[in-house]
Amino acid sequence: MAEPERTERKLRPAPLLFEPSEAAADPEHFFDLESMEDPRELLSRATELTLAFRAATDRAIEFQAVAAAQLADPRRFDRLTPGAIGEQAGWTEDYAKKMIEFGRDLLRGATPS
């Protein structure tokens, strides 16, 4: 039996826009959300930002893992131990080992499970 064609499109998160330094200095200011009066608009924009931050976090973690795998590569003369990588990234040694393996999977093109 043939698998049905996927019609779902993955939603792309809203782009993260950087705020002017004057706005960022104000602790009450957050991507202009505080100035929105329409709760529907506020919910929509806050949801977009949430998705964007989650996507950014996921991508940053993947880059951390790739960097950890590259730093631990046994072919490097200056390779680092998982402990040293963990110390640099603020991770435990066990977590660093997992990130190194995750990074190796990403570098091989494997899909993480």
Side-chain angles (χ1 to χ4, degrees), residues 50-64:
T50 299
L51 294 173
F53 282 119
R54 285 181 188 156
T57 299
D58 291 345
R59 290 288 293 152
I61 289 169
E62 289 174 357
F63 279 105
Q64 282 183 309

Side-chain angles (χ1 to χ4, degrees), residues 57-108:
T57 299
D58 291 345
R59 290 288 293 152
I61 289 169
E62 289 174 357
F63 279 105
Q64 282 183 309
V66 166
Q70 290 171 336
L71 289 169
D73 188 336
R75 296 172 294 186
R76 289 178 61 114
F77 75 93
D78 61 344
R79 72 179 170 270
L80 297 177
T81 65
I85 292 169
E87 185 176 321
Q88 185 175 341
W91 303 331
T92 64
E93 186 172 347
D94 287 340
Y95 186 76
K97 289 175 183 177
K98 290 176 184 180
M99 287 295 280
I100 291 166
E101 191 56 42
F102 178 48
R104 288 178 178 154
D105 290 345
L106 290 172
L107 289 169
R108 284 192 296 265

Side-chain angles (χ1 to χ4, degrees), residues 9-17 31 44-60:
R9 289 181 48 152
K10 188 173 181 179
L11 294 177
R12 295 187 61 104
L16 292 177
L17 303 175
F31 290 90
S44 176
R45 182 62 181 145
T47 301
E48 288 176 346
L49 286 168
T50 299
L51 294 173
F53 282 119
R54 285 181 188 156
T57 299
D58 291 345
R59 290 288 293 152

Side-chain angles (χ1 to χ4, degrees), residues 19 23 26 28-37 42:
E19 299 182 282
D26 178 4
E28 297 300 315
H29 184 84
F30 189 73
F31 290 90
D32 209 29
L33 295 179
E34 71 287 342
S35 68
M36 293 183 175
E37 294 180 17
L42 176 60

